[in-house]
């Protein structure tokens, strides 16, 4: 079928295709989903099990170990990581990357089933196992609620109202509230009165449980109707508890609780988390949108609903965004679309300058239709507009333009010789359609490693492969259909017999270089090989990276006090830290979290789990470039304020998070040995002088007060360990007697000892514990704690025990300096760390950016062999020989020359996006080489002298190859200011510059060598 003639003879069909791409693309652009970055599934769940009273080592041996054993029996498991803390086991379960998001719910159900089965084998006292499979949920709309003129209790009610109403907004799936100050009912009991009256704590507990049990309603049957009799609740919980009566042992007398205790309604002593925003106590509201919804539309709807809610609430309530993904997405996608439009405009302008306005309009129209058609297909297949998918269009720009340039220029030159549009287009399309299709398929196959990659990075970048696949194939279709039709409208027919002339200064200059290279083929090949070898040797000078820091002007200050520090003390230090941060002019907002990290508001943020000594500040600056200097100034100030703290900073990054960029893991059985190895590694990191934020994850040991429990004395007194434990809690942080439910909230009922010497001043808690009384169930009387525990001893214990795949593992972390990269830091430190002498049974492995990059490249490499096989087979099928494909594949490795030079000049690292840019170079280079070799073969088939055929074919391909390179290079220019695409843009720009030389010099020289064509004098 003659596609070009059919396109011109039946223009209705071609115009239908144009209208579909144009109108459909505009409609798709208006309605397509928008995200800042592509979504990827966090294939993790957390298994949390409380074991009150147990030490970290007990938790590890009695809870973590059996649960990990049960978990590892699942065939879907990739990794199991755990941390055992005093009283709690936290196991992070990660599934193999081959499972997609649709399969995870069934896997989590299997995990829950296994945990239910394992629960029966756990020790007495272990609480129910909780499997949190929403660990990876992202709440992209993140707000801080402050109300300086209101009490914390009123703030809690405001947050409840706002959450309830936000859940009614379409496409809002979840609203998470954090920072609500929990309350408790505290019963301060006079221990001397308890002892005198002979009332035990179990008696008080039983009375509370009986009196506060749920009320049941009655029912009457009157005149055929049912009448419900509700028993109303009390208005005051404090009054209800104070009025509970207790029977006095040995008599019929009764006493009320308020006669022996003071009942108060307080904020909990030890909160789970404390949050402040710009110095004001705050509650955070995190809103999650439906993943299939347009987050920009959801954000607008949420903001409108918030305005309505706040209008109905008292004045003085402030709701400020910590992170508004909708606004970020709108700005990011809008800015990127502007860059894309600018790139297309630059390409069209360049074409008009070098090819004339007629050819510029034809090629530019095809390019515009290709972009809009691609957006239409993306919309239909549910692909969102985000950084990666839009960037893919720019990456493919050179190949998109090249198809149309080849057809349009060939048709234009043919018509200048006097051929009509039908014959000219038919000849050119028949001649080039299959080579262009093959070259297009090769360009697509170059990115197959991304499409077939099975890890999180591959999932993150899948849209890049999908968009390149759609856009390149569509560009080929439009080049052989729309370009001929538009060419028939714009191109003029010249006089018959006009020969193609290559008399421009560019052609003459190129011809001189080409003839020189052909006459000195040995020297030319030697120079090319030498430059390539030098480039590969120089590649070691290029900085190595993974994903760069994000454009978002946000960074995190992670604050770790001594491990034994109380959360209230940590909060005091964080309050000062927040004031320091706010004193800098470049800081716009500071949100502080004490006790644990923030809610996961972006995919790349991994929140820290609960730890009283931990705090984090989310600092937003006015400009992204202000962050490095601010980090240096603020860190120094914070460290001076609290020398005992470990303070390190992390940037928001593009792509999947990697945690610390440098991580050395020591793996082995003994805690003491592991800590010693970690200390040696930390010392080596410190000696380097260039890396910073050095720490390890096991942290310091905690001080503990160990009562010496006398089994004999306890037996004589009739005191059990449970009685002793209750007495210790009652005399220290309080003994939980029950729980009171009221509407949406529940309140713990805590009993605390009120000793005779207690005053308004701070109580001596240690003396209070030593003077405590313990109830003897058998003697029905109180016994002094000193009688059961004559001594109390101060000891230290490890509070955190980390394991990876059931083996104890301690990780030493560090971050590269401001002018350093993780790759160069690792190359310096790795030999020193690996020189540490390891005892038998211990080993070291590397994590951080090194591990993440290796995994991503391994996953990418897993799909590359198939892609390269396809590329090689296509080149062989196109030519039906071995020599032409061999020429093509000999010049491909030489593309590294321009890449190395470009990155060194720009002082940018070779990261994951650079690798993708390098792959796109393959497609462009091979495509140009295919069309040039095909042109040489065509010229030879016409009977032209072989040497002249090489020269004439090269001259005929000079303009389209140069134009494709120039348009691609200029089209990449807007991306140089984008942190995510800068290294990739430099890779393509530098590599394509040299690749153009390779195509136009190396291909003719190698062709003449392989076919033994001697140059003419």
């Amino acid at each position: 079928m003659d596609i070009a003639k059919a396109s011109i003879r039946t223009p209705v069909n071609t115009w239908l295709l144009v209208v579909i791409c144009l109108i459909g693309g505009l409609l798709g652009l208006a309605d397509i989903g928008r995200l800042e970055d592509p979504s990827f599934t966090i294939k993790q769940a957390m298994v949390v099990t409380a074991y009150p009273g147990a030490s970290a080592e007990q938790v590890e041996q009695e809870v973590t170990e059996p649960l990990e054993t049960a978990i590892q029996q699942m065939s879907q498991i990739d990794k199991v990581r755990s941390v055992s803390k005093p009283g709690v086991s936290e196991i992070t379960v990660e599934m193999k990357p081959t499972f997609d998001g649709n399969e995870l719910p069934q896997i989590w159900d299997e995990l829950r089933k296994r945990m239910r089965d394992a629960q029966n084998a756990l020790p007495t006292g272990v609480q129910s196992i909780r499997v949190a499979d929403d660990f990876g949920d992202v709440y992209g709309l993140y707000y801080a609620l402050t109300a300086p003129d209101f009490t914390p209790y009123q703030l809690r009610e405001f947050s409840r109202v706002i959450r309830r109403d936000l859940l009614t907004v379409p496409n809002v799936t979840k609203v998470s509230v954090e920072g609500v100050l929990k309350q408790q009912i505290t019963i301060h009991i006079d221990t001397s009165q308890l002892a005198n009256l002979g009332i035990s704590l179990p008696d008080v507990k039983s009375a509370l449980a009986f009196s506060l049990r749920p009320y049941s309603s009655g029912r009457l049957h009157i005149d055929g109707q049912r009448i419900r009799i509700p028993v109303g609740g009390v208005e005051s919980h404090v009054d209800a508890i104070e009025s509970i009566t207790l029977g006095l042992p040995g008599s019929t007398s009764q006493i009320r609780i308020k006669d022996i205790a003071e009942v108060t309604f307080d904020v909990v002593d030890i909160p789970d988390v404390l949050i402040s925003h710009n110095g004001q106590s705050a509650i955070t509201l995190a809103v999650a949108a439906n993943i299939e919804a347009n987050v920009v539309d959801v954000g607008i709807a949420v903001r409108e609903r918030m305005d309505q809610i706040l209008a109905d609430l008292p004045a003085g309530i402030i709701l400020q965004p910590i992170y508004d993904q909708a606004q970020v997405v709108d700005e990011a996608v809008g800015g990127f679309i502007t860059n894309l439009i600018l790139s297309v405009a630059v390409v069209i302008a360049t074409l008009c300058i070098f090819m004339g306005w007629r050819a510029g309009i034809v090629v530019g129209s095809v390019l515009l239709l290709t972009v809009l058609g691609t957006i239409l297909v993306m919309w239909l297949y549910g692909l969102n507009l985000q950084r990666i998918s839009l960037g893919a269009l720019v990456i493919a720009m050179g190949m998109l333009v090249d198809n149309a340039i080849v057809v349009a220029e060939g048709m234009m030159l043919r018509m200048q010789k006097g051929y009509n549009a039908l014959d000219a287009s038919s000849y050119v399309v028949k001649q080039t359609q299959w080579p262009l299709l093959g070259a297009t398929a090769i360009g697509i196959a170059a990115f197959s490693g991304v499409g077939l990659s099975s890890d999180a990075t591959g999932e993150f970048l899948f849209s890049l492969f999908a968009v390149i696949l759609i856009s390149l194939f569509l560009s080929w279709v439009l080049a052989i259909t729309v370009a001929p039709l538009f060419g028939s409208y714009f191109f003029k027919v010249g006089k018959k017999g006009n020969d193609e002339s290559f008399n421009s200064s560019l052609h003459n200059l190129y011809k001189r270089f080409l003839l020189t290279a052909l006459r000195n083929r040995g020297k030319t090949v030697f120079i090319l090989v030498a430059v390539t070898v030098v480039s590969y040797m120089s590649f070691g000078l290029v900085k190595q990276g993974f994903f760069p820091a994000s454009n978002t002007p946000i960074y995190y200050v992670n604050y770790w006090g001594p491990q034994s520090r109380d959360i209230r003390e940590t909060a005091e230090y964080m309050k000062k830290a927040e004031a320091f941060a706010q004193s800098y002019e470049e800081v716009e907002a500071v949100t502080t979290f004490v006790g644990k990290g923030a809610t996961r508001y972006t995919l790349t943020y991994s929140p820290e789990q609960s730890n009283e000594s931990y705090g984090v500040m989310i600092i937003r600056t006015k400009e992204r470039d202000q962050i490095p200097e601010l980090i240096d100034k603020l860190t120094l100030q914070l460290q001076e304020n609290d020398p005992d703290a470990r303070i390190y900073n992390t940037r928001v990054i593009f792509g999947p998070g990697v945690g610390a960029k440098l991580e050395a893991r020591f793996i082995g059985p003994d805690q003491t040995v592991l800590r010693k190895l970690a200390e040696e590694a930390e010392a080596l990191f410190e000696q380097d002088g260039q890396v910073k934020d050095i720490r390890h994850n096991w942290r310091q040991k905690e001080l503990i007060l160990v009562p010496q429990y006398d089994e004999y004395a306890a037996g004589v007194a009739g005191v059990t360990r449970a009685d002793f434990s209750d007495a210790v809690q009652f005399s220290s942080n309080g003994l939980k007697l029950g729980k009171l439910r009221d509407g949406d909230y529940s309140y713990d009922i805590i009993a605390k000892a009120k000793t005779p010497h207690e005053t308004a001043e701070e109580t001596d808690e240690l003396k209070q514990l030593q003077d405590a009384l313990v109830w003897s169930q058998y003697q029905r009387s109180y016994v002094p704690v000193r009688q059961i525990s004559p001594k109390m001893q101060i000891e230290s214990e490890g509070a955190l025990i980390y394991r990876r795949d059931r083996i104890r593992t301690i990780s030493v972390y560090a971050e590269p300096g401001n002018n350093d990269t993780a790759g160069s830091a690792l190359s310096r430190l790795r030999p020193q760390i690996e020189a540490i002498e390891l005892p038998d049974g211990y080993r070291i492995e590397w994590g951080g950016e090194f591990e993440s990059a290796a995994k991503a490249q391994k996953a990418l490499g897993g799909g590359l062999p198939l892609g390269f096989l396809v590329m090689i087979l296509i080149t062989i099928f196109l030519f039906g020989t071995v020599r032409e494909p061999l020429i093509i594949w000999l010049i491909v490795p030489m593309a590294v020359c321009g890449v190395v030079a470009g990155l060194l000049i720009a002082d940018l690292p070779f990261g994951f996006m650079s690798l993708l840019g390098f792959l796109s170079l393959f497609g462009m280079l091979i495509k140009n080489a295919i069309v040039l070799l095909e042109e040489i073969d065509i010229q030879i088939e016409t009977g032209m002298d072989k040497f002249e055929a090489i020269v004439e074919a090269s001259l005929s391909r000079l303009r389209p190859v140069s134009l494709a390179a120039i348009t691609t290079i200029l089209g990449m220019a807007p991306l140089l200011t984008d942190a995510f695409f800068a290294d990739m843009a430099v890779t393509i720009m530098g590599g394509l510059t040299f690749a153009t030389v390779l195509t136009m010099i190396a291909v003719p020289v190698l062709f003449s060598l392989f076919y033994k064509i001697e140059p003419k004098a």
Side-chain angles (χ1 to χ4, degrees):
M1 179 182 176
D2 195 328
I3 298 174
K5 282 188 176 180
S7 299
I8 296 174
R9 283 175 175 165
T10 54
V12 173
N13 295 336
T14 310
W15 274 107
L16 180 62
L17 179 60
V18 170
V19 170
I20 289 173
C21 289
L22 182 63
I23 305 301
L26 292 174
L27 289 174
L29 185 62
D31 194 51
I32 193 170
R34 300 184 178 209
L35 294 172
E36 181 184 10
D37 293 304
S39 60
F40 59 91
T41 307
I42 298 174
K43 303 177 178 69
Q44 294 179 352
M46 283 199 70
V47 179
V48 182
T49 312
Y51 188 10
S55 66
E57 194 163 2
Q58 278 182 290
V59 169
E60 178 199 24
Q61 295 171 356
E62 299 177 21
V63 178
T64 303
E65 171 63 28
L67 291 184
E68 286 183 339
T69 302
I71 290 168
Q72 284 204 329
Q73 295 172 14
M74 295 176 64
S75 59
Q76 305 95 327
I77 297 296
D78 184 29
K79 288 185 183 63
V80 178
R81 300 189 300 275
S82 67
V83 55
S84 299
K85 308 175 184 178
V88 65
S89 164
E90 296 174 355
I91 303 174
T92 302
V93 184
E94 186 173 343
M95 299 301 154
K96 291 176 181 176
T98 49
F99 295 100
D100 63 30
N102 296 326
E103 297 173 285
L104 288 180
Q106 186 175 350
I107 295 173
W108 301 145
D109 287 343
E110 181 181 344
L111 177 62
R112 285 191 176 86
K113 180 179 179 300
R114 288 183 180 272
M115 293 300 94
R116 284 196 298 269
D117 294 342
Q119 179 87 55
N120 298 326
L122 297 179
T124 303
V126 175
Q127 297 180 2
S128 298
I129 300 170
R130 182 172 63 88
V131 178
D133 60 1
D134 58 353
F135 178 66
D137 286 356
V138 177
Y139 299 82
L141 304 171
Y142 200 28
Y143 300 93
L145 176 66
T146 57
D149 300 328
F150 296 90
T151 66
Y153 321 121
Q154 291 171 317
L155 191 60
R156 180 189 70 180
E157 285 303 307
F158 297 150
S159 70
R160 184 181 66 82
V161 171
I162 295 171
R163 177 183 181 274
R164 180 196 64 199
D165 289 355
L166 286 180
L167 284 170
T168 64
V169 175
N171 290 315
V172 168
T173 56
K174 293 181 181 179
V175 178
S176 174
V177 178
E178 288 284 354
V180 173
L181 288 178
K182 295 183 179 178
Q183 295 170 273
Q184 65 184 25
I185 298 171
T186 309
I187 306 176
H188 300 272
I189 301 176
D190 189 329
T191 51
S192 60
Q193 281 190 282
L194 278 185
N196 292 334
L197 296 171
I199 300 173
S200 69
L201 285 177
D203 293 338
V204 177
K205 191 172 184 178
S206 298
L208 285 170
F210 182 78
S211 300
L212 299 177
R213 70 190 190 281
Y215 300 122
S216 299
S217 59
R219 174 170 168 164
L220 295 176
H221 179 251
I222 300 175
D223 295 333
Q225 298 186 45
R226 55 181 174 81
I227 307 297
R228 191 174 71 88
I229 309 173
V231 179
V234 296
E235 292 185 5
S236 169
H237 304 304
V238 172
D239 291 344
I241 292 173
E242 284 181 335
S243 300
I244 293 173
T245 57
L246 299 167
L248 295 179
S251 73
T252 58
S253 302
Q254 292 185 332
I255 191 172
R256 288 182 298 180
I257 283 182
K258 70 176 182 181
D259 296 327
I260 57 170
E262 178 187 354
V263 182
T264 58
F265 199 40
D266 309 312
V267 174
V268 294
D269 295 333
I270 306 171
D272 296 328
V273 61
L274 294 168
I275 302 173
S276 63
H277 181 74
N278 291 336
Q280 299 288 339
S281 294
I283 290 175
T284 60
L285 291 105
V287 182
N290 190 318
I291 57 173
E292 296 180 358
N294 186 328
V295 72
V296 176
D297 294 338
V298 176
I300 293 171
V302 166
R303 284 195 292 270
E304 290 176 352
R305 189 73 187 98
M306 280 183 172
D307 291 340
Q308 296 170 5
I309 296 169
L310 293 177
D312 295 333
L313 292 175
I317 300 173
I318 305 169
L319 197 60
Q320 295 173 297
I322 300 172
Y323 186 82
D324 189 341
Q325 190 185 57
Q327 184 177 349
V328 171
V329 167
D330 199 29
E331 292 174 358
V333 175
F336 210 88
I337 288 176
T338 301
N339 283 344
L340 182 61
I341 293 171
L342 184 60
S343 296
V344 173
V346 167
V347 168
I348 294 173
T350 306
L351 291 170
C352 290
I353 292 170
F354 288 96
M355 292 182 69
W357 69 270
R358 296 178 186 276
I361 289 176
V362 172
V363 177
S365 300
V366 173
L367 176 61
L368 182 61
L369 290 172
T370 303
V371 172
L372 289 174
T374 302
I375 291 174
L376 171 61
V377 177
M378 289 171 60
W379 177 47
L380 295 175
Y381 279 89
L383 294 171
N384 294 315
L385 277 186
Q386 26 77 5
R387 190 182 308 277
I388 302 300
S389 58
L390 286 168
L393 286 172
V394 180
I395 292 173
M397 191 75 71
M399 291 179 278
L400 298 182
V401 172
D402 204 22
N403 284 334
I405 286 177
V406 169
V407 173
E409 194 205 33
M411 183 179 174
M412 182 177 67
L413 294 176
R414 193 88 177 157
M415 289 178 69
Q416 286 174 356
K417 294 180 180 181
Y419 294 94
N420 61 41
L422 274 176
D423 292 337
S425 62
S426 175
Y427 175 82
V428 172
V429 171
K430 282 182 178 179
Q431 184 188 71
T432 60
Q433 61 185 351
W434 300 121
L436 287 178
L437 179 60
T440 299
I442 286 172
I444 294 169
F447 289 89
S448 61
V450 178
L452 300 174
S453 178
S454 59
D455 74 332
T457 305
E459 186 179 357
F460 182 76
L461 295 171
F462 174 76
S463 60
L464 183 136
F465 171 72
V467 171
I468 285 177
L469 170 66
I470 295 165
S471 61
L472 288 188
F473 181 73
L474 188 58
S475 75
W476 177 78
V477 171
L478 294 175
I480 63 174
T481 55
V482 176
L485 178 63
F486 284 12
S488 69
Y489 296 152
F490 287 95
F491 297 151
K492 299 295 184 181
V493 178
K495 294 180 180 180
K496 282 280 186 181
N498 278 356
D499 291 327
E500 190 172 340
S501 176
F502 302 114
N503 291 323
S504 69
S505 57
L506 176 63
H507 283 93
N508 291 330
L509 179 63
Y510 167 65
K511 187 175 182 179
R512 284 200 299 271
F513 273 106
L514 177 62
L515 290 174
T516 303
L518 289 170
R519 288 167 184 155
N520 300 276
R521 294 177 298 185
K523 291 180 180 178
T524 302
V525 172
F526 175 78
I527 291 171
L528 288 172
V529 171
V531 171
T532 304
V533 171
V534 170
S535 296
Y536 274 98
M537 292 174 64
S538 302
F539 195 77
L541 300 175
V542 178
K543 294 185 288 188
Q544 301 297 305
F546 188 40
F547 282 107
S550 170
N551 291 324
T552 306
I554 284 177
Y555 82 100
Y556 312 114
V557 178
N558 297 278
Y559 177 99
W560 286 96
Q563 177 61 26
S564 58
R565 182 171 284 175
D566 185 274
I567 189 172
R568 291 160 290 192
E569 187 74 6
T570 305
E572 288 300 315
Y573 279 103
M574 291 303 295
K575 189 175 182 180
K576 295 177 185 176
E578 189 174 35
F580 289 145
Q582 286 184 279
S583 67
Y584 290 96
E585 291 182 1
E586 53 264 50
V587 173
E588 276 195 349
V590 183
T591 309
T592 304
F593 298 81
V594 182
K596 66 176 183 179
T599 306
R600 190 190 293 270
Y601 64 92
T602 68
L603 275 167
T604 58
Y605 174 69
S606 182
E608 190 70 37
Q609 297 304 304
S610 297
N611 192 310
E612 289 190 42
S613 62
Y614 174 74
V616 61
M617 289 191 294
I618 301 177
I619 298 181
R620 176 180 288 276
T621 59
K622 294 176 181 177
E623 301 290 339
R624 173 183 180 271
D625 296 337
Q626 296 171 331
I627 292 177
E629 184 180 354
L630 178 62
I631 285 176
D632 292 339
K633 293 187 295 187
L634 183 58
T635 303
L636 182 62
Q637 193 173 10
L638 296 178
Q639 203 67 68
E640 289 175 352
N641 180 62
D642 187 6
D644 295 331
R646 288 289 181 95
I647 298 163
Y648 65 94
N649 306 275
T650 51
R651 298 285 299 271
V652 180
I653 66 163
F654 293 114
V658 298
K661 291 188 176 182
L662 295 170
E663 178 184 357
R665 301 190 194 110
F666 294 94
I667 301 166
D670 186 79
Q671 291 189 58
T672 304
V673 174
L674 288 175
R675 284 183 176 273
K676 181 176 178 294
L677 293 172
E679 288 169 3
E680 290 184 46
E682 283 185 309
L684 291 173
F685 278 15
E686 294 283 0
Q687 289 173 18
D688 177 70
Q690 295 187 52
V691 296
K692 58 184 182 180
D693 300 339
I694 302 161
R695 72 272 185 196
H696 68 75
N697 60 344
W698 283 36
R699 313 204 67 244
Q700 307 95 333
K701 290 186 175 182
E702 286 186 354
L703 291 178
I704 56 173
L705 181 65
V706 183
Q708 302 298 310
Y709 184 77
D710 189 330
E711 294 279 2
Y712 178 78
V716 171
V719 173
T720 65
R721 280 188 179 270
D723 296 329
F724 184 71
S725 173
D726 286 351
V728 168
Q729 290 181 66
F730 177 61
S731 301
S732 54
N733 59 306
L735 175 65
K736 183 177 176 180
L737 299 181
K739 189 180 287 285
L740 182 65
R741 185 78 186 178
D742 181 25
D744 293 342
Y745 305 107
S746 60
Y747 307 99
D748 289 337
I749 302 172
I750 305 296
K752 288 188 176 184
K754 182 181 179 182
T755 55
H757 64 263
E758 185 171 341
T759 63
E761 284 85 22
E762 183 180 350
T763 304
D764 185 340
E765 294 186 359
L766 180 58
K767 188 174 189 314
Q768 181 172 301
L769 180 60
Q770 291 171 332
D771 293 341
L773 301 174
V774 56
W775 177 256
S776 170
Q777 293 278 12
Y778 302 102
Q779 295 185 11
R780 292 293 302 171
S781 65
Y782 284 94
V783 177
V785 163
R786 295 177 189 272
Q787 182 177 323
I788 310 302
S789 176
K791 285 193 280 185
M792 293 187 182
Q793 185 173 321
I794 298 288
E795 296 180 4
S796 64
E797 68 168 5
L800 301 171
I801 302 175
Y802 283 85
R803 293 157 55 113
R804 290 177 67 88
D805 295 325
R806 298 179 57 203
I807 305 174
R808 286 176 174 174
T809 304
I810 191 167
S811 297
V812 182
Y813 303 122
E815 303 292 339
N818 291 341
N819 298 316
D820 200 5
T821 64
S824 59
L826 182 64
S827 64
R828 292 194 312 271
L829 290 163
R830 187 171 184 174
Q832 300 175 50
I833 300 297
E834 292 183 351
I836 295 174
E837 186 176 348
L838 300 178
D840 291 340
Y842 292 81
R843 70 179 192 274
I844 184 174
E845 63 182 35
W846 292 92
E849 191 172 283
F850 170 80
E851 182 181 50
S852 298
K855 284 180 181 177
Q857 290 167 7
K858 181 181 177 182
L860 182 63
L864 283 179
L866 178 60
F868 275 102
L869 177 62
V870 170
M871 294 162 75
I872 292 169
L873 290 176
I874 289 173
T875 55
I876 294 173
F877 290 150
L878 280 174
F879 294 100
T881 66
V882 174
R883 281 180 281 192
E884 276 91 343
L886 188 58
I887 291 170
I888 291 171
W889 289 99
L890 280 175
I891 66 171
V892 165
M894 298 181 186
V896 76
C897 304
V899 173
V900 171
L903 291 174
L904 285 175
I905 292 170
D907 194 29
L908 287 172
F910 185 84
F912 194 80
M913 294 306 295
S914 303
L915 179 60
L916 296 180
F918 195 55
L919 291 178
S920 73
L921 273 180
F922 287 0
M924 297 177 199
L925 182 58
I926 292 171
K927 188 173 194 176
N928 288 333
I930 285 174
V931 178
L932 175 54
L933 288 170
E934 189 73 23
E935 183 68 21
I936 293 173
D937 288 341
I938 291 170
Q939 297 288 0
I940 292 173
E941 288 173 3
T942 62
M944 186 181 292
D945 177 79
K946 291 183 178 180
F947 182 75
E948 291 180 0
I950 292 175
V951 176
E952 285 298 311
S954 299
L955 288 169
S956 70
R957 285 300 299 157
L958 176 61
R959 186 162 67 171
V961 169
S962 301
L963 277 176
I966 292 169
T967 53
T968 302
I969 290 169
L970 293 177
M972 286 287 160
L975 293 183
L976 291 173
T977 57
D978 191 302
F980 187 65
F981 287 109
D983 58 337
M984 186 201 71
V986 169
T987 298
I988 293 176
M989 294 169 79
L992 191 56
T993 301
F994 193 80
T996 304
V997 176
L998 282 177
T999 303
M1000 302 311 299
I1001 299 294
V1003 170
V1005 169
L1006 291 175
F1007 187 90
S1008 67
L1009 278 173
F1010 277 47
Y1011 283 93
K1012 299 178 181 178
I1013 300 171
E1014 293 298 327
K1016 291 184 178 181

